Amino acid sequence: VSHAYGATGDYPVVLTASNNVVSAAATVMVHVVGGYTNYVSLAGGHVAPFTNWVTAATNVQAAVDANPVAGGVVFVAPGTYASGGRSQYGMSNRVSVYKQVLVLASNAAPGATVIRGQGPAGAAAMRCAYVGSGAVLAGFTLTNGFTMAWFMGVDQNKQMSGGGAWSETAGILSNCWIVGNAAEAYGAGVYGGAILGCTISSNVAAMQGGGAHLATLEDCAVEGNSAAFMGGGASQSTLTRCLVSSNQTPNSAGGVDQCTLDFCTLAGNMAMWGGGAGNSTLRNCALYGNYASMQGGAAGGCAILSCTIMGNSAGDSGGGLAGAMGDVTNSIVYHNSAPSRENYDTVTFSNSCTFPDPGGGNNVTNEPGLLSLSNPHVVSNSPCLDAGDGSAPAGALDIDGEPRTNGIAIDIGCDEFPRSAGASGPLIVRILASATNAITGIEIQFESWMDGKANRYSWDFGDGQAT
């Protein structure tokens, strides 16, 4: 569906789906601003202050520099922008959004509106973007960004990290594709900031965090990144509702290192130790198909709460888990493989499903009854139903965003089985938006993604209009 907003503001867009038994809903927030302040187009006349398409700037940086006030908008036509730039912290950036403005691509499709850095690493290197506090960069493809080579000084991390983007804590990257960048230190894809609805792919870090470092990621895909030491996908970051897949490192923590994850899926990541995750906290997550050449196919050194860990493997021991860890609670750890058996001497299990029973109390050893080794949802006769640790706290959700509210005890694992009579499985609803930052009068495309059977659905656009 498409919808245009006639007034500025923040609008919750809600998709609700239901059948005769269960219902589900998803929400995405859309921020709408009043109008264009500056225009950018490769076909523009480049006449400051770039207030229309005829006089539009031919590089993004010139339009940002000309933007007069905080809260303005730089609107960018499709094309590849590989000229212009500005230095920040001694590092060159193709685009430096150092003002509190929204820089918005008119076409957010992958490869449509590109900010291209410059490499290889060294004195002439240029990252794609710097995003300052209060600034927003939305809808771009950031590629071929590089950082300076080895540098000793007070701004070392600022000059050697964030090949795709280096962001202040209060900076935002939204609906971006961050692909094919490199960093000599941390966060080859992104370093810092709030990263919302982005795809971070095929970035390479010489130290940690191939995809992201010190960032807050929501609803992102972190795929095919690598790091030389730890955290092939992400390091020292917070991830919510993210897919972390096919990342790698030759050392530890192929997927994530020193991170906190909620409602995430980790699949097909590789490392020597901790294929999926290392030294992290995982809550309501699914881990499958990860591999460690030594120990901890799924995870090493992690605290595990309400997770499902299945179908992982290791070359030595601990196909599922390895290393000194926090507690494993309300979790399924089953159908993982390694030449040596699991060693849980340093791990305390409770209300979990695994075999053999590692002790700790109230564990289940029977086969958990998963739909498959790549689908963490449980079947209706699973021994994991109502076998978790007490009733769910108010507002608790499972990996699908569905409530854990059966009033008895939560289910073991990341999935809460629907309790309504006659339910045939989960109904999962998600929204894919062409933009979450927009201008009044410009149509936004919303796509509904559903898993399960729905015979009714509706949209509420948050401005009094619905369909």
Side-chain angles (χ1 to χ4, degrees):
V1 296
S2 297
H3 188 72
Y5 291 89
T8 62
D10 294 315
Y11 298 95
V13 178
V14 181
L15 169 65
T16 303
S18 62
N19 53 40
N20 295 331
V21 178
V22 294
S23 64
T27 301
V28 64
M29 292 297 300
V30 175
H31 177 64
V32 180
V33 295
Y36 313 125
T37 306
N38 304 86
Y39 291 73
V40 182
S41 171
L42 294 174
H46 200 76
V47 179
F50 319 118
T51 55
N52 56 64
W53 286 123
V54 175
T55 64
T58 54
N59 69 79
V60 182
Q61 190 62 57
V64 173
D65 293 341
N67 198 284
V69 294
V73 178
V74 176
F75 195 54
V76 184
T80 297
Y81 294 88
S83 65
R86 184 185 177 96
S87 178
Q88 195 75 28
Y89 301 127
M91 176 67 206
S92 296
N93 309 277
R94 183 66 70 198
V95 175
S96 179
V97 193
Y98 60 97
K99 300 178 179 181
Q100 293 183 12
V101 298
L102 165 63
V103 181
L104 177 65
S106 64
N107 187 337
T113 313
V114 180
I115 297 174
R116 185 176 180 84
Q118 178 176 297
M126 182 177 287
R127 71 161 59 95
C128 297
Y130 164 83
V131 183
S133 182
V136 180
L137 188 71
F140 290 88
T141 296
L142 309 181
T143 190
N144 200 54
F146 290 81
T147 68
M148 293 182 66
W150 187 253
F151 172 84
M152 294 298 293
V154 65
D155 289 333
Q156 179 181 16
N157 285 345
K158 296 176 181 178
Q159 298 186 12
M160 295 175 59
S161 301
W166 198 102
S167 177
E168 304 289 355
T169 302
I172 297 174
L173 282 86
S174 174
N175 299 92
C176 288
W177 288 72
I178 304 163
V179 56
N181 304 285
E184 289 295 287
Y186 308 101
V190 291
Y191 182 105
I195 317 301
L196 312 177
C198 294
T199 295
I200 305 171
S201 176
S202 303
N203 303 285
V204 181
M207 295 182 71
Q208 297 181 25
H213 182 78
L214 281 180
T216 300
L217 291 80
E218 297 183 11
D219 303 296
C220 291
V222 183
E223 304 171 325
N225 305 283
S226 63
F229 290 96
M230 293 177 286
S235 57
Q236 297 182 42
S237 297
T238 300
L239 295 84
T240 305
R241 298 181 303 276
C242 292
L243 170 65
V244 181
S245 66
S246 303
N247 304 283
Q248 61 180 316
T249 172
N251 291 294
S252 64
V256 297
D257 178 64
Q258 300 177 68
C259 291
T260 299
L261 288 79
D262 291 279
F263 315 112
C264 293
T265 297
L266 289 82
N269 303 287
M270 295 187 295
M272 180 178 68
W273 178 86
N279 309 302
S280 298
T281 297
L282 310 176
R283 299 183 290 246
N284 299 288
C285 294
L287 293 85
Y288 61 86
N290 301 286
Y291 172 76
S293 60
M294 292 298 292
Q295 299 176 339
C302 294
I304 309 292
L305 173 65
S306 296
C307 292
T308 300
I309 300 172
M310 71 285 192
N312 304 281
S313 60
D316 182 17
S317 61
L321 306 173
M325 307 175 66
D327 294 343
V328 178
T329 307
N330 293 335
S331 295
I332 297 171
V333 184
Y334 225 97
H335 296 306
N336 304 290
S337 62
S340 301
R341 70 177 183 86
E342 308 284 348
N343 184 353
Y344 296 139
D345 293 342
T346 60
V347 182
T348 300
F349 277 74
S350 62
N351 295 89
S352 292
C353 178
T354 191
F355 182 87
D357 189 346
N362 301 315
N363 294 308
V364 175
T365 58
N366 293 340
E367 205 279 338
L370 301 168
L371 287 182
S372 76
L373 293 186
S374 60
N375 188 329
H377 297 94
V378 292
V379 297
S380 59
N381 62 347
S382 168
C384 298
L385 272 58
D386 299 331
D389 184 13
S391 297
L397 303 173
D398 72 356
I399 194 171
D400 301 319
E402 298 172 341
R404 293 188 183 262
T405 56
N406 65 65
I408 304 170
I410 64 172
D411 297 344
I412 295 175
C414 65
D415 172 47
E416 190 74 16
F417 189 82
R419 290 306 194 277
S420 301
S424 59
L427 177 59
I428 306 165
V429 178
R430 301 189 190 279
I431 298 172
L432 179 64
S434 63
T436 52
N437 294 276
I439 306 295
T440 53
I442 298 299
E443 284 196 342
I444 305 173
Q445 287 74 47
F446 300 99
E447 294 184 14
S448 61
W449 291 69
M450 302 186 205
D451 185 11
K453 295 181 179 179
N455 53 26
R456 296 180 299 276
Y457 72 93
S458 63
W459 290 92
D460 185 332
F461 299 107
D463 60 351
Q465 299 188 45
T467 182

